[in-house]
Amino acid sequence: MIKTILVIFYTQTGQLKQVLDSLLRPPCGNAGFSIDYLEIKPQTPFPFPWTRREFLDVFPESVMEKPAPLQPIPQTVQRRYDLIILAFQPWYLSPSIPISSFLKTPEAEKIFQGSDVLTVIGARNMWQGAFACVKEKVEGYGGRICGNIALVDRAPNLVSVITIAYWLFTGKKNKFLGLFPPPGVSEADIAAAGRFWEAIGPAVLNNRLDGLDETLRNLGAAEINDALARLENRARKVFTLWANLIIKVPKIRGMLLNLFLAELVFALAVISPINSLLGVIIKSLRRKSGEC
Ligand SMILES: Cc1cc2nc3c(=O)[nH]c(=O)nc-3n(C[C@H](O)[C@H](O)[C@H](O)COP(=O)(O)O)c2cc1C
């Protein structure tokens, strides 16, 4: 019997759609599946490329997960599927506004209820907080997360900050100054996403989604960098304080956003390298004491 998949996604740059195309059109083929797509579209599209002000302006609402109006969700996708793939990206360590808005709709509740959900993330390199938010919502609706694929920019943290800023503010995904690596998920990683289908396809066909998460982990689908996870945890707390304050005092929003930006730049330039160094020291101490 044909298995049905619903792919729910939002993408500004097209990167996440490229990942999905590579995942769902693998060299081994995907015969036996019928795939529907639901692209999440805000009523007022978010800008791309961004200006500095526009980019900063979505910070408080992203962190506090304030919903934005979306275009209607077609009735045709509000039915049972054998697998739902939810592809999203973090904005300020939270799910992007279009995705968090979708997650708050009654249609999302209906779609996720009792469903198996595979998440696919395309991020710079900090996605764990956003994933935790999405997981909580899906499970709150009675859905099951049966696996997660998170593709990231593999460049060092500071390098990827510079190159993503270049990409998001110019719209160009090429080498900044001809020197830096191209921003975002690499073409090689996008092209290699099809290998995950070799685990997903048979798991869906044989109704064996229970073991999929572990199989995907073994394939390196969502590698965790301890140093970045530590940094992200701390940053999320600070982001929540700033976002709350900015929403509560709208009169000086512009000034507060600029202060937040100043702190962000300081944290990236000073705290992030210290954190990476700490990570290296902890790793070598663990190695010396025989821990893995
Ligand atoms: C406003 C904004 C905030 C972002 N914040 C994060 C973040 O916190 N962590 C991260 O890894 N990537 C972050 N990114 C990068 C996106 O997750 C995503 O990888 C990139 O924007 C590609 O966009 P697309 O998936 O919409 O095509 C951010 C991007 C934008 C536009």
Side-chain angles (χ1 to χ4, degrees), residues 36-69:
D36 290 342
Y37 288 86
L38 168 61
E39 181 171 3
I40 303 300
K41 291 187 183 156
Q43 274 180 21
T44 309
F46 286 92
F48 183 76
W50 299 75
T51 63
R52 189 183 67 108
R53 174 67 210 223
E54 287 165 340
F55 182 77
L56 272 180
D57 212 35
V58 294
F59 161 71
E61 284 71 22
S62 302
V63 174
M64 303 314 289
E65 295 179 45
K66 296 255 182 223

PDB file of all heavy atoms in Angstrom, residues 36-69:
ATOM      1  N   ASP A  36       2.829  15.047  -0.067  1.00  0.00           N
ATOM      2  CA  ASP A  36       2.168  16.358  -0.176  1.00  0.00           C
ATOM      3  C   ASP A  36       3.043  17.404   0.506  1.00  0.00           C
ATOM      4  O   ASP A  36       3.761  17.085   1.460  1.00  0.00           O
ATOM      5  CB  ASP A  36       0.809  16.341   0.540  1.00  0.00           C
ATOM      6  CG  ASP A  36      -0.211  15.493  -0.194  1.00  0.00           C
ATOM      7  OD1 ASP A  36       0.008  15.210  -1.383  1.00  0.00           O
ATOM      8  OD2 ASP A  36      -1.220  15.112   0.442  1.00  0.00           O
ATOM      9  N   TYR A  37       2.943  18.640   0.022  1.00  0.00           N
ATOM     10  CA  TYR A  37       3.724  19.733   0.618  1.00  0.00           C
ATOM     11  C   TYR A  37       2.803  20.809   1.163  1.00  0.00           C
ATOM     12  O   TYR A  37       1.790  21.152   0.532  1.00  0.00           O
ATOM     13  CB  TYR A  37       4.644  20.361  -0.435  1.00  0.00           C
ATOM     14  CG  TYR A  37       5.814  19.462  -0.803  1.00  0.00           C
ATOM     15  CD1 TYR A  37       5.682  18.489  -1.786  1.00  0.00           C
ATOM     16  CD2 TYR A  37       7.033  19.577  -0.145  1.00  0.00           C
ATOM     17  CE1 TYR A  37       6.751  17.660  -2.111  1.00  0.00           C
ATOM     18  CE2 TYR A  37       8.105  18.744  -0.461  1.00  0.00           C
ATOM     19  CZ  TYR A  37       7.954  17.794  -1.441  1.00  0.00           C
ATOM     20  OH  TYR A  37       9.008  16.970  -1.749  1.00  0.00           O
ATOM     21  N   LEU A  38       3.175  21.330   2.317  1.00  0.00           N
ATOM     22  CA  LEU A  38       2.480  22.505   2.857  1.00  0.00           C
ATOM     23  C   LEU A  38       3.540  23.556   3.164  1.00  0.00           C
ATOM     24  O   LEU A  38       4.330  23.404   4.104  1.00  0.00           O
ATOM     25  CB  LEU A  38       1.729  22.131   4.151  1.00  0.00           C
ATOM     26  CG  LEU A  38       1.191  23.310   4.968  1.00  0.00           C
ATOM     27  CD1 LEU A  38       0.188  24.129   4.160  1.00  0.00           C
ATOM     28  CD2 LEU A  38       0.531  22.822   6.263  1.00  0.00           C
ATOM     29  N   GLU A  39       3.574  24.596   2.313  1.00  0.00           N
ATOM     30  CA  GLU A  39       4.537  25.676   2.571  1.00  0.00           C
ATOM     31  C   GLU A  39       3.859  26.715   3.452  1.00  0.00           C
ATOM     32  O   GLU A  39       2.787  27.232   3.118  1.00  0.00           O
ATOM     33  CB  GLU A  39       4.999  26.311   1.253  1.00  0.00           C
ATOM     34  CG  GLU A  39       6.020  27.404   1.509  1.00  0.00           C
ATOM     35  CD  GLU A  39       6.677  27.928   0.230  1.00  0.00           C
ATOM     36  OE1 GLU A  39       6.295  27.484  -0.880  1.00  0.00           O
ATOM     37  OE2 GLU A  39       7.569  28.782   0.365  1.00  0.00           O
ATOM     38  N   ILE A  40       4.486  27.028   4.584  1.00  0.00           N
ATOM     39  CA  ILE A  40       3.923  28.019   5.493  1.00  0.00           C
ATOM     40  C   ILE A  40       4.231  29.406   4.929  1.00  0.00           C
ATOM     41  O   ILE A  40       5.397  29.729   4.659  1.00  0.00           O
ATOM     42  CB  ILE A  40       4.556  27.878   6.903  1.00  0.00           C
ATOM     43  CG1 ILE A  40       4.343  26.461   7.451  1.00  0.00           C
ATOM     44  CG2 ILE A  40       4.006  28.946   7.857  1.00  0.00           C
ATOM     45  CD1 ILE A  40       2.916  26.042   7.599  1.00  0.00           C
ATOM     46  N   LYS A  41       3.163  30.205   4.740  1.00  0.00           N
ATOM     47  CA  LYS A  41       3.355  31.546   4.167  1.00  0.00           C
ATOM     48  C   LYS A  41       2.737  32.599   5.073  1.00  0.00           C
ATOM     49  O   LYS A  41       1.508  32.612   5.246  1.00  0.00           O
ATOM     50  CB  LYS A  41       2.704  31.624   2.784  1.00  0.00           C
ATOM     51  CG  LYS A  41       3.429  30.780   1.746  1.00  0.00           C
ATOM     52  CD  LYS A  41       2.850  31.020   0.374  1.00  0.00           C
ATOM     53  CE  LYS A  41       3.521  30.123  -0.648  1.00  0.00           C
ATOM     54  NZ  LYS A  41       2.694  29.871  -1.811  1.00  0.00           N
ATOM     55  N   PRO A  42       3.563  33.480   5.639  1.00  0.00           N
ATOM     56  CA  PRO A  42       2.998  34.590   6.421  1.00  0.00           C
ATOM     57  C   PRO A  42       2.186  35.503   5.506  1.00  0.00           C
ATOM     58  O   PRO A  42       2.498  35.631   4.314  1.00  0.00           O
ATOM     59  CB  PRO A  42       4.239  35.331   6.941  1.00  0.00           C
ATOM     60  CG  PRO A  42       5.371  34.378   6.783  1.00  0.00           C
ATOM     61  CD  PRO A  42       5.024  33.480   5.635  1.00  0.00           C
ATOM     62  N   GLN A  43       1.141  36.132   6.073  1.00  0.00           N
ATOM     63  CA  GLN A  43       0.335  37.054   5.237  1.00  0.00           C
ATOM     64  C   GLN A  43       1.196  38.198   4.727  1.00  0.00           C
ATOM     65  O   GLN A  43       1.083  38.613   3.583  1.00  0.00           O
ATOM     66  CB  GLN A  43      -0.842  37.580   6.057  1.00  0.00           C
ATOM     67  CG  GLN A  43      -2.018  36.626   5.994  1.00  0.00           C
ATOM     68  CD  GLN A  43      -3.208  37.102   6.794  1.00  0.00           C
ATOM     69  OE1 GLN A  43      -3.346  38.283   7.088  1.00  0.00           O
ATOM     70  NE2 GLN A  43      -4.074  36.181   7.153  1.00  0.00           N
ATOM     71  N   THR A  44       2.079  38.703   5.582  1.00  0.00           N
ATOM     72  CA  THR A  44       3.060  39.694   5.122  1.00  0.00           C
ATOM     73  C   THR A  44       4.424  39.007   5.142  1.00  0.00           C
ATOM     74  O   THR A  44       4.923  38.676   6.224  1.00  0.00           O
ATOM     75  CB  THR A  44       3.098  40.910   6.090  1.00  0.00           C
ATOM     76  OG1 THR A  44       1.776  41.367   6.277  1.00  0.00           O
ATOM     77  CG2 THR A  44       3.991  42.010   5.569  1.00  0.00           C
ATOM     78  N   PRO A  45       5.021  38.776   3.969  1.00  0.00           N
ATOM     79  CA  PRO A  45       6.287  38.030   3.959  1.00  0.00           C
ATOM     80  C   PRO A  45       7.388  38.745   4.742  1.00  0.00           C
ATOM     81  O   PRO A  45       7.444  39.980   4.752  1.00  0.00           O
ATOM     82  CB  PRO A  45       6.647  37.964   2.469  1.00  0.00           C
ATOM     83  CG  PRO A  45       5.415  38.337   1.729  1.00  0.00           C
ATOM     84  CD  PRO A  45       4.579  39.181   2.641  1.00  0.00           C
ATOM     85  N   PHE A  46       8.240  37.969   5.412  1.00  0.00           N
ATOM     86  CA  PHE A  46       9.403  38.562   6.070  1.00  0.00           C
ATOM     87  C   PHE A  46      10.420  38.918   4.995  1.00  0.00           C
ATOM     88  O   PHE A  46      10.500  38.241   3.964  1.00  0.00           O
ATOM     89  CB  PHE A  46       9.989  37.578   7.098  1.00  0.00           C
ATOM     90  CG  PHE A  46       9.134  37.484   8.322  1.00  0.00           C
ATOM     91  CD1 PHE A  46       8.138  36.514   8.418  1.00  0.00           C
ATOM     92  CD2 PHE A  46       9.276  38.387   9.356  1.00  0.00           C
ATOM     93  CE1 PHE A  46       7.308  36.448   9.532  1.00  0.00           C
ATOM     94  CE2 PHE A  46       8.452  38.335  10.480  1.00  0.00           C
ATOM     95  CZ  PHE A  46       7.473  37.363  10.557  1.00  0.00           C
ATOM     96  N   PRO A  47      11.201  39.984   5.206  1.00  0.00           N
ATOM     97  CA  PRO A  47      12.083  40.444   4.129  1.00  0.00           C
ATOM     98  C   PRO A  47      13.276  39.516   3.916  1.00  0.00           C
ATOM     99  O   PRO A  47      13.738  38.888   4.855  1.00  0.00           O
ATOM    100  CB  PRO A  47      12.581  41.797   4.654  1.00  0.00           C
ATOM    101  CG  PRO A  47      12.448  41.721   6.139  1.00  0.00           C
ATOM    102  CD  PRO A  47      11.302  40.812   6.420  1.00  0.00           C
ATOM    103  N   PHE A  48      13.725  39.420   2.709  1.00  0.00           N
ATOM    104  CA  PHE A  48      15.008  38.778   2.404  1.00  0.00           C
ATOM    105  C   PHE A  48      15.527  39.365   1.099  1.00  0.00           C
ATOM    106  O   PHE A  48      14.827  39.301   0.108  1.00  0.00           O
ATOM    107  CB  PHE A  48      14.880  37.258   2.285  1.00  0.00           C
ATOM    108  CG  PHE A  48      16.225  36.613   2.033  1.00  0.00           C
ATOM    109  CD1 PHE A  48      17.129  36.483   3.074  1.00  0.00           C
ATOM    110  CD2 PHE A  48      16.600  36.201   0.751  1.00  0.00           C
ATOM    111  CE1 PHE A  48      18.380  35.927   2.853  1.00  0.00           C
ATOM    112  CE2 PHE A  48      17.844  35.648   0.525  1.00  0.00           C
ATOM    113  CZ  PHE A  48      18.731  35.517   1.573  1.00  0.00           C
ATOM    114  N   PRO A  49      16.742  39.929   1.050  1.00  0.00           N
ATOM    115  CA  PRO A  49      17.630  40.141   2.184  1.00  0.00           C
ATOM    116  C   PRO A  49      17.057  41.127   3.206  1.00  0.00           C
ATOM    117  O   PRO A  49      16.169  41.920   2.885  1.00  0.00           O
ATOM    118  CB  PRO A  49      18.896  40.698   1.536  1.00  0.00           C
ATOM    119  CG  PRO A  49      18.513  41.180   0.189  1.00  0.00           C
ATOM    120  CD  PRO A  49      17.283  40.455  -0.220  1.00  0.00           C
ATOM    121  N   TRP A  50      17.626  41.049   4.417  1.00  0.00           N
ATOM    122  CA  TRP A  50      17.165  41.872   5.530  1.00  0.00           C
ATOM    123  C   TRP A  50      17.974  43.167   5.607  1.00  0.00           C
ATOM    124  O   TRP A  50      19.134  43.197   5.219  1.00  0.00           O
ATOM    125  CB  TRP A  50      17.398  41.147   6.860  1.00  0.00           C
ATOM    126  CG  TRP A  50      16.692  39.854   7.030  1.00  0.00           C
ATOM    127  CD1 TRP A  50      17.024  38.673   6.441  1.00  0.00           C
ATOM    128  CD2 TRP A  50      15.558  39.579   7.854  1.00  0.00           C
ATOM    129  NE1 TRP A  50      16.167  37.669   6.849  1.00  0.00           N
ATOM    130  CE2 TRP A  50      15.257  38.211   7.729  1.00  0.00           C
ATOM    131  CE3 TRP A  50      14.769  40.360   8.699  1.00  0.00           C
ATOM    132  CZ2 TRP A  50      14.203  37.601   8.409  1.00  0.00           C
ATOM    133  CZ3 TRP A  50      13.723  39.751   9.380  1.00  0.00           C
ATOM    134  CH2 TRP A  50      13.433  38.389   9.225  1.00  0.00           C
ATOM    135  N   THR A  51      17.338  44.221   6.174  1.00  0.00           N
ATOM    136  CA  THR A  51      18.152  45.358   6.612  1.00  0.00           C
ATOM    137  C   THR A  51      18.493  45.084   8.078  1.00  0.00           C
ATOM    138  O   THR A  51      17.838  44.245   8.718  1.00  0.00           O
ATOM    139  CB  THR A  51      17.383  46.693   6.530  1.00  0.00           C
ATOM    140  OG1 THR A  51      16.279  46.610   7.434  1.00  0.00           O
ATOM    141  CG2 THR A  51      16.887  46.973   5.126  1.00  0.00           C
ATOM    142  N   ARG A  52      19.475  45.828   8.607  1.00  0.00           N
ATOM    143  CA  ARG A  52      19.876  45.605   9.997  1.00  0.00           C
ATOM    144  C   ARG A  52      18.672  45.810  10.936  1.00  0.00           C
ATOM    145  O   ARG A  52      18.426  45.026  11.834  1.00  0.00           O
ATOM    146  CB  ARG A  52      21.002  46.584  10.366  1.00  0.00           C
ATOM    147  CG  ARG A  52      21.642  46.305  11.699  1.00  0.00           C
ATOM    148  CD  ARG A  52      22.673  47.360  12.006  1.00  0.00           C
ATOM    149  NE  ARG A  52      22.030  48.655  12.221  1.00  0.00           N
ATOM    150  CZ  ARG A  52      21.919  49.254  13.415  1.00  0.00           C
ATOM    151  NH1 ARG A  52      22.441  48.693  14.469  1.00  0.00           N
ATOM    152  NH2 ARG A  52      21.315  50.402  13.536  1.00  0.00           N
ATOM    153  N   ARG A  53      17.915  46.874  10.676  1.00  0.00           N
ATOM    154  CA  ARG A  53      16.781  47.202  11.541  1.00  0.00           C
ATOM    155  C   ARG A  53      15.703  46.099  11.474  1.00  0.00           C
ATOM    156  O   ARG A  53      15.154  45.665  12.492  1.00  0.00           O
ATOM    157  CB  ARG A  53      16.208  48.571  11.148  1.00  0.00           C
ATOM    158  CG  ARG A  53      14.937  48.991  11.847  1.00  0.00           C
ATOM    159  CD  ARG A  53      15.163  49.227  13.332  1.00  0.00           C
ATOM    160  NE  ARG A  53      13.962  48.932  14.108  1.00  0.00           N
ATOM    161  CZ  ARG A  53      13.497  49.678  15.088  1.00  0.00           C
ATOM    162  NH1 ARG A  53      14.125  50.760  15.446  1.00  0.00           N
ATOM    163  NH2 ARG A  53      12.407  49.337  15.738  1.00  0.00           N
ATOM    164  N   GLU A  54      15.402  45.641  10.263  1.00  0.00           N
ATOM    165  CA  GLU A  54      14.372  44.595  10.106  1.00  0.00           C
ATOM    166  C   GLU A  54      14.806  43.319  10.823  1.00  0.00           C
ATOM    167  O   GLU A  54      13.999  42.644  11.466  1.00  0.00           O
ATOM    168  CB  GLU A  54      14.177  44.275   8.615  1.00  0.00           C
ATOM    169  CG  GLU A  54      13.438  45.335   7.834  1.00  0.00           C
ATOM    170  CD  GLU A  54      13.594  45.160   6.323  1.00  0.00           C
ATOM    171  OE1 GLU A  54      14.550  44.475   5.863  1.00  0.00           O
ATOM    172  OE2 GLU A  54      12.784  45.730   5.596  1.00  0.00           O
ATOM    173  N   PHE A  55      16.093  43.009  10.697  1.00  0.00           N
ATOM    174  CA  PHE A  55      16.630  41.791  11.291  1.00  0.00           C
ATOM    175  C   PHE A  55      16.519  41.845  12.822  1.00  0.00           C
ATOM    176  O   PHE A  55      16.137  40.876  13.468  1.00  0.00           O
ATOM    177  CB  PHE A  55      18.088  41.618  10.850  1.00  0.00           C
ATOM    178  CG  PHE A  55      18.737  40.372  11.366  1.00  0.00           C
ATOM    179  CD1 PHE A  55      18.461  39.139  10.786  1.00  0.00           C
ATOM    180  CD2 PHE A  55      19.622  40.422  12.426  1.00  0.00           C
ATOM    181  CE1 PHE A  55      19.048  37.980  11.265  1.00  0.00           C
ATOM    182  CE2 PHE A  55      20.223  39.277  12.915  1.00  0.00           C
ATOM    183  CZ  PHE A  55      19.936  38.057  12.332  1.00  0.00           C
ATOM    184  N   LEU A  56      16.854  43.010  13.389  1.00  0.00           N
ATOM    185  CA  LEU A  56      16.778  43.173  14.849  1.00  0.00           C
ATOM    186  C   LEU A  56      15.328  43.187  15.315  1.00  0.00           C
ATOM    187  O   LEU A  56      15.004  42.709  16.391  1.00  0.00           O
ATOM    188  CB  LEU A  56      17.400  44.511  15.247  1.00  0.00           C
ATOM    189  CG  LEU A  56      18.893  44.552  15.511  1.00  0.00           C
ATOM    190  CD1 LEU A  56      19.306  45.965  15.880  1.00  0.00           C
ATOM    191  CD2 LEU A  56      19.253  43.592  16.641  1.00  0.00           C
ATOM    192  N   ASP A  57      14.470  43.750  14.477  1.00  0.00           N
ATOM    193  CA  ASP A  57      13.085  43.976  14.867  1.00  0.00           C
ATOM    194  C   ASP A  57      12.302  42.679  15.108  1.00  0.00           C
ATOM    195  O   ASP A  57      11.305  42.695  15.829  1.00  0.00           O
ATOM    196  CB  ASP A  57      12.393  44.822  13.792  1.00  0.00           C
ATOM    197  CG  ASP A  57      11.324  45.706  14.406  1.00  0.00           C
ATOM    198  OD1 ASP A  57      11.531  46.173  15.543  1.00  0.00           O
ATOM    199  OD2 ASP A  57      10.276  45.880  13.767  1.00  0.00           O
ATOM    200  N   VAL A  58      12.746  41.564  14.522  1.00  0.00           N
ATOM    201  CA  VAL A  58      11.989  40.312  14.750  1.00  0.00           C
ATOM    202  C   VAL A  58      12.492  39.579  15.994  1.00  0.00           C
ATOM    203  O   VAL A  58      11.968  38.523  16.357  1.00  0.00           O
ATOM    204  CB  VAL A  58      12.032  39.349  13.525  1.00  0.00           C
ATOM    205  CG1 VAL A  58      11.310  39.959  12.343  1.00  0.00           C
ATOM    206  CG2 VAL A  58      13.452  38.951  13.153  1.00  0.00           C
ATOM    207  N   PHE A  59      13.520  40.152  16.661  1.00  0.00           N
ATOM    208  CA  PHE A  59      14.104  39.454  17.814  1.00  0.00           C
ATOM    209  C   PHE A  59      13.096  39.199  18.946  1.00  0.00           C
ATOM    210  O   PHE A  59      12.874  38.035  19.314  1.00  0.00           O
ATOM    211  CB  PHE A  59      15.346  40.226  18.318  1.00  0.00           C
ATOM    212  CG  PHE A  59      15.750  39.875  19.713  1.00  0.00           C
ATOM    213  CD1 PHE A  59      16.317  38.638  19.996  1.00  0.00           C
ATOM    214  CD2 PHE A  59      15.546  40.766  20.758  1.00  0.00           C
ATOM    215  CE1 PHE A  59      16.666  38.301  21.297  1.00  0.00           C
ATOM    216  CE2 PHE A  59      15.895  40.434  22.060  1.00  0.00           C
ATOM    217  CZ  PHE A  59      16.454  39.196  22.331  1.00  0.00           C
ATOM    218  N   PRO A  60      12.434  40.257  19.482  1.00  0.00           N
ATOM    219  CA  PRO A  60      11.571  39.990  20.650  1.00  0.00           C
ATOM    220  C   PRO A  60      10.439  39.012  20.331  1.00  0.00           C
ATOM    221  O   PRO A  60      10.179  38.091  21.104  1.00  0.00           O
ATOM    222  CB  PRO A  60      11.009  41.377  21.002  1.00  0.00           C
ATOM    223  CG  PRO A  60      11.865  42.365  20.285  1.00  0.00           C
ATOM    224  CD  PRO A  60      12.416  41.683  19.091  1.00  0.00           C
ATOM    225  N   GLU A  61       9.805  39.199  19.167  1.00  0.00           N
ATOM    226  CA  GLU A  61       8.650  38.347  18.818  1.00  0.00           C
ATOM    227  C   GLU A  61       9.093  36.913  18.515  1.00  0.00           C
ATOM    228  O   GLU A  61       8.325  35.974  18.735  1.00  0.00           O
ATOM    229  CB  GLU A  61       7.876  38.940  17.637  1.00  0.00           C
ATOM    230  CG  GLU A  61       7.004  40.145  18.008  1.00  0.00           C
ATOM    231  CD  GLU A  61       7.799  41.418  18.337  1.00  0.00           C
ATOM    232  OE1 GLU A  61       8.956  41.525  17.891  1.00  0.00           O
ATOM    233  OE2 GLU A  61       7.265  42.288  19.055  1.00  0.00           O
ATOM    234  N   SER A  62      10.331  36.739  18.003  1.00  0.00           N
ATOM    235  CA  SER A  62      10.825  35.372  17.780  1.00  0.00           C
ATOM    236  C   SER A  62      11.005  34.667  19.113  1.00  0.00           C
ATOM    237  O   SER A  62      10.525  33.547  19.313  1.00  0.00           O
ATOM    238  CB  SER A  62      12.193  35.376  17.071  1.00  0.00           C
ATOM    239  OG  SER A  62      12.137  36.034  15.849  1.00  0.00           O
ATOM    240  N   VAL A  63      11.697  35.353  20.035  1.00  0.00           N
ATOM    241  CA  VAL A  63      12.016  34.712  21.324  1.00  0.00           C
ATOM    242  C   VAL A  63      10.745  34.438  22.141  1.00  0.00           C
ATOM    243  O   VAL A  63      10.610  33.391  22.756  1.00  0.00           O
ATOM    244  CB  VAL A  63      13.000  35.597  22.125  1.00  0.00           C
ATOM    245  CG1 VAL A  63      13.235  35.046  23.515  1.00  0.00           C
ATOM    246  CG2 VAL A  63      14.323  35.713  21.373  1.00  0.00           C
ATOM    247  N   MET A  64       9.804  35.395  22.113  1.00  0.00           N
ATOM    248  CA  MET A  64       8.584  35.213  22.910  1.00  0.00           C
ATOM    249  C   MET A  64       7.518  34.414  22.139  1.00  0.00           C
ATOM    250  O   MET A  64       6.402  34.231  22.624  1.00  0.00           O
ATOM    251  CB  MET A  64       8.000  36.573  23.338  1.00  0.00           C
ATOM    252  CG  MET A  64       8.967  37.452  24.130  1.00  0.00           C
ATOM    253  SD  MET A  64       9.869  36.597  25.439  1.00  0.00           S
ATOM    254  CE  MET A  64       8.575  36.305  26.613  1.00  0.00           C
ATOM    255  N   GLU A  65       7.887  33.977  20.922  1.00  0.00           N
ATOM    256  CA  GLU A  65       6.980  33.176  20.077  1.00  0.00           C
ATOM    257  C   GLU A  65       5.612  33.846  19.893  1.00  0.00           C
ATOM    258  O   GLU A  65       4.563  33.214  20.044  1.00  0.00           O
ATOM    259  CB  GLU A  65       6.831  31.757  20.637  1.00  0.00           C
ATOM    260  CG  GLU A  65       8.155  30.995  20.572  1.00  0.00           C
ATOM    261  CD  GLU A  65       8.072  29.592  21.129  1.00  0.00           C
ATOM    262  OE1 GLU A  65       7.110  28.894  20.796  1.00  0.00           O
ATOM    263  OE2 GLU A  65       8.979  29.225  21.898  1.00  0.00           O
ATOM    264  N   LYS A  66       5.651  35.127  19.546  1.00  0.00           N
ATOM    265  CA  LYS A  66       4.411  35.870  19.275  1.00  0.00           C
ATOM    266  C   LYS A  66       3.983  35.549  17.841  1.00  0.00           C
ATOM    267  O   LYS A  66       4.751  35.794  16.902  1.00  0.00           O
ATOM    268  CB  LYS A  66       4.651  37.381  19.386  1.00  0.00           C
ATOM    269  CG  LYS A  66       5.043  37.813  20.771  1.00  0.00           C
ATOM    270  CD  LYS A  66       3.868  38.491  21.458  1.00  0.00           C
ATOM    271  CE  LYS A  66       4.284  38.955  22.825  1.00  0.00           C
ATOM    272  NZ  LYS A  66       3.326  38.719  23.862  1.00  0.00           N
ATOM    273  N   PRO A  67       2.778  35.020  17.649  1.00  0.00           N
ATOM    274  CA  PRO A  67       2.389  34.593  16.301  1.00  0.00           C
ATOM    275  C   PRO A  67       2.129  35.753  15.334  1.00  0.00           C
ATOM    276  O   PRO A  67       1.686  36.815  15.736  1.00  0.00           O
ATOM    277  CB  PRO A  67       1.108  33.786  16.534  1.00  0.00           C
ATOM    278  CG  PRO A  67       0.638  34.142  17.887  1.00  0.00           C
ATOM    279  CD  PRO A  67       1.786  34.720  18.668  1.00  0.00           C
ATOM    280  N   ALA A  68       2.419  35.513  14.058  1.00  0.00           N
ATOM    281  CA  ALA A  68       2.095  36.451  12.976  1.00  0.00           C
ATOM    282  C   ALA A  68       1.005  35.789  12.128  1.00  0.00           C
ATOM    283  O   ALA A  68       0.974  34.560  12.026  1.00  0.00           O
ATOM    284  CB  ALA A  68       3.344  36.698  12.128  1.00  0.00           C
ATOM    285  N   PRO A  69       0.118  36.606  11.513  1.00  0.00           N
ATOM    286  CA  PRO A  69      -0.952  36.001  10.692  1.00  0.00           C
ATOM    287  C   PRO A  69      -0.378  35.241   9.492  1.00  0.00           C
ATOM    288  O   PRO A  69       0.569  35.692   8.854  1.00  0.00           O
ATOM    289  CB  PRO A  69      -1.772  37.202  10.222  1.00  0.00           C
ATOM    290  CG  PRO A  69      -1.300  38.379  11.014  1.00  0.00           C
ATOM    291  CD  PRO A  69       0.061  38.070  11.544  1.00  0.00           C
TER     292      PRO A  69
END
